[in-house]
Amino acid sequence: MTDPQPPASSSTGSPPPLPPRAGYPLVGALPSLAGDPLGYLLSARARYGDIYTLDLGLTRAIMLNHPRHAQHVLRDNARGYGKGGPIWDSIRCIVGNGLPTSEGEFWLRQRRMLQPHFHKDRLASLMHLMVGAIDESLARWDAAAESGEPVEAYHEFARMTMNVVVKSLFGAGITPEEADAVGHEMNYAVEHILASLFTNALPKWMPVPGRKRFEKALRTIDEVVYKLINRRRESKQSGGDLLGIMLDTVDDETGKGMEDIHMRDEAVSLLIAGYETTSTALAFICGCLLERPDIVRNLQDDFDKVIGQETPNLAHLPRLPLAQMVVQESLRMYPPTYWVLRTALEDDVIDGYRIPKGTIIGVTTYAIQRHPEFWQEPEKFDPWRFTPERSAGRHPLAWIPFGIGQRLCIGRDFALMEGQLFLARWLSRFDIEPVPGRPVKAGLAATIRPQGGVWIRLRKRTPRAVAAVG
């Protein structure tokens, strides 16, 4: 691993320069970003280098595109970079002071209370909820498999992941009507995030399209979540879901549990993370597999051998390495969170370039995970690049879809488990085929999303006769 280079002024005596600017006068890089934003992130790195200033017209951000930059900003010097600015303010409108947005001692307290419950062995208690929610959703596809009619899978994945995260978070304590209400309003709220990045600074009295609808969505979400919290407190039943875990959790240092508002913020944070990022991840896993029927057959053979007619459990997952590598490779190519944003809290120098205090910093996950220094043929879908042999010597932060350091996503193991379980239930049940003329294309919204959806045809399958794996 290499540290950020020393300041350019160390040899010249002059102040370090700012990173080179990408963009045109007045409009900056906005025209290029409007046409092909993801392609522009890669071409700008190739043209300007691993660090450059992205001119967005009214604002600018310094883009960091190397694993050593991620290590410096997100781990080694994390105290020098905070979560301030309009983008984080937009996210706080929804999640409040949950783990993704909180900082300092409060964040440390909340993280300390929740972290133990997200270890793999503790997540085993949620597996039956996850498998049940996946099976319930996949049953909706049986009719399409019988008729051969195309299915737009992305929106079906969105419904399924919302079902999974709602059942995992609230268990049997939520009614179907409440689950539908939360899912519907959460989808609108997430869609509104990107627009709010540009409108949050406007006065509250100024009419903004979608603002009243967004406020209504937040009220509905709050009503349902607080009702569930109160219902569970009054019943004095913990249950195996995440809400029950939060109700039972106390801080070892103070002996105090979470207040209702803090449980609300953490619950909504988990809903967004479990819904938005996972549904897009599953959509791109599907898109990648549509181009590799050989990998689909390998996966199906693994599921037939290892799981067969059993219900998946935690012991099955280590015996399904290809399924995990497929999830990892899809997350490499299409990380739902395409950049990690911070604000410089003090002056800094990275790779000889000056980083002024107050600057918006973008650690560009998408570009790092396609950096040709670390990934051979980065545009190729190749799950086996994650084998131990091929991973040896690779910079540990060349793959960071869940962040790094103290702020590593608390739901990482949950998401990887859900991805493997989904593949196992989906591909054991169906064969899949692409729909001609409907390629899967990546575009930008609040996350990387498939433009135009993911269109597939399904056929019910019969497990092949294969020798069981011991």
Side-chain angles (χ1 to χ4, degrees):
M1 290 183 288
T2 56
D3 294 326
Q5 298 173 9
S9 59
S10 59
S11 58
T12 65
S14 60
L18 291 170
R21 185 176 67 87
Y24 301 103
L26 299 179
V27 297
L30 292 178
S32 301
L33 288 168
D36 179 14
L38 292 173
Y40 182 77
L41 292 179
L42 299 181
S43 63
R45 189 211 64 79
R47 179 177 180 181
Y48 299 103
D50 287 334
I51 177 170
Y52 62 89
T53 301
L54 182 64
D55 189 341
L56 297 172
L58 297 178
T59 188
R60 295 179 181 181
I62 292 179
M63 307 296 279
L64 306 178
N65 297 273
H66 197 281
R68 67 170 174 267
H69 302 154
Q71 178 178 328
H72 177 74
V73 170
L74 302 177
R75 192 172 73 186
D76 296 350
N77 191 32
R79 292 182 180 274
Y81 293 87
K83 293 189 171 186
I87 292 178
W88 285 107
D89 290 343
S90 298
I91 297 172
R92 286 186 178 92
C93 286
I94 300 178
V95 306
N97 212 23
L99 282 181
T101 55
S102 58
E103 298 186 90
E105 289 300 318
F106 178 80
W107 170 83
L108 185 60
R109 173 180 175 270
Q110 293 294 100
R111 179 82 181 205
R112 188 170 57 229
M113 293 170 70
L114 290 173
Q115 180 69 64
H117 304 292
F118 283 85
H119 291 158
K120 286 184 179 179
D121 56 339
R122 299 296 293 273
L123 291 176
S125 63
L126 294 175
M127 284 194 69
H128 71 286
L129 292 172
M130 297 170 73
V131 171
I134 291 171
D135 286 350
E136 181 181 314
S137 298
L138 290 180
R140 293 168 41 85
W141 294 15
D142 286 342
E146 292 290 340
S147 68
E149 289 295 314
V151 173
E152 200 293 281
Y154 172 50
H155 286 95
E156 292 295 332
F157 291 146
R159 294 182 67 167
M160 185 188 73
T161 52
M162 178 57 74
N163 194 24
V164 170
V165 73
V166 165
K167 294 288 178 62
S168 301
L169 186 55
F170 301 120
I174 187 168
T175 67
E177 294 75 20
E178 290 167 337
D180 287 344
V182 169
H184 181 71
E185 300 302 334
M186 185 64 68
N187 184 59
Y188 183 86
V190 171
E191 292 277 1
H192 185 77
I193 286 179
L194 193 63
S196 68
L197 303 184
F198 305 100
T199 60
N200 260 2
L202 299 176
K204 292 296 182 184
W205 53 263
M206 183 175 292
V208 173
R211 179 181 281 174
K212 287 186 177 180
R213 176 68 182 83
F214 175 68
E215 292 171 350
K216 174 183 177 294
L218 292 186
R219 287 195 301 272
T220 301
I221 293 168
D222 283 353
E223 287 171 5
V224 173
V225 172
Y226 279 121
K227 183 189 298 182
L228 291 168
I229 292 171
N230 293 333
R231 188 184 299 161
R232 188 66 64 82
R233 282 198 188 281
E234 292 170 1
S235 71
K236 302 189 184 303
Q237 294 178 350
S238 332
D241 53 76
L242 292 171
L243 180 59
I245 288 171
M246 284 193 283
L247 279 163
D248 291 342
T249 297
V250 296
D251 183 2
D252 289 339
E253 293 188 3
T254 65
K256 295 181 179 179
M258 286 192 196
E259 297 179 15
D260 285 0
I261 188 172
H262 300 153
M263 277 195 289
R264 177 268 175 208
D265 291 348
E266 302 301 354
V268 173
S269 299
L270 290 169
L271 277 171
I272 290 180
Y275 162 64
E276 172 67 13
T277 60
T278 305
S279 60
T280 57
L282 293 181
F284 284 113
I285 289 173
C286 178
C288 291
L289 290 177
L290 288 172
E291 298 180 1
R292 294 295 304 270
D294 56 321
I295 295 179
V296 172
R297 288 191 294 271
N298 289 340
L299 287 168
Q300 289 174 329
D301 286 345
D302 284 351
F303 300 144
D304 292 345
K305 292 175 185 176
V306 174
I307 301 174
Q309 299 302 309
E310 298 178 24
T311 300
N313 59 58
L314 197 62
H316 289 131
L317 300 187
R319 297 156 62 195
L320 299 168
L322 179 57
Q324 177 169 311
M325 291 190 295
V326 164
V327 175
Q328 290 174 301
E329 174 68 345
S330 180
L331 287 172
R332 179 193 70 82
M333 296 188 70
Y334 303 104
T337 304
Y338 49 90
W339 61 358
V340 179
L341 294 175
R342 294 291 188 268
T343 300
L345 302 179
E346 55 194 25
D347 292 340
D348 198 4
V349 175
I350 298 177
D351 278 5
Y353 289 109
R354 178 161 48 97
I355 312 295
K357 178 181 178 179
T359 302
I360 297 172
I361 301 296
V363 179
T364 317
T365 311
Y366 183 79
I368 289 174
Q369 295 186 173
R370 292 179 181 236
H371 199 300
E373 183 179 338
F374 307 99
W375 306 99
Q376 186 178 13
E377 296 183 281
E379 304 302 315
K380 178 182 178 182
F381 179 70
D382 178 11
W384 288 277
R385 68 172 84 240
F386 283 93
T387 61
E389 296 78 15
R390 291 179 60 185
S391 297
R394 185 184 298 141
H395 195 296
L397 304 187
W399 187 80
I400 52 171
F402 298 101
I404 63 168
Q406 281 191 320
R407 305 302 296 239
L408 180 72
C409 175
I410 198 170
R412 178 191 60 179
D413 290 339
F414 181 98
L416 291 174
M417 179 189 297
E418 183 179 354
Q420 285 182 276
L421 289 174
F422 163 73
L423 283 174
R425 304 309 273 175
W426 181 47
L427 295 181
S428 295
R429 189 177 189 124
F430 301 111
D431 286 318
I432 60 171
E433 296 176 356
V435 175
R438 293 278 195 169
V440 179
K441 296 181 179 180
L444 283 191
T447 57
I448 295 180
R449 287 182 172 183
Q451 290 183 330
V454 178
W455 289 88
I456 61 174
R457 280 194 171 91
L458 304 162
R459 286 184 291 108
K460 291 294 291 289
R461 72 179 292 266
T462 302
R464 289 184 281 272
V466 289
V469 175

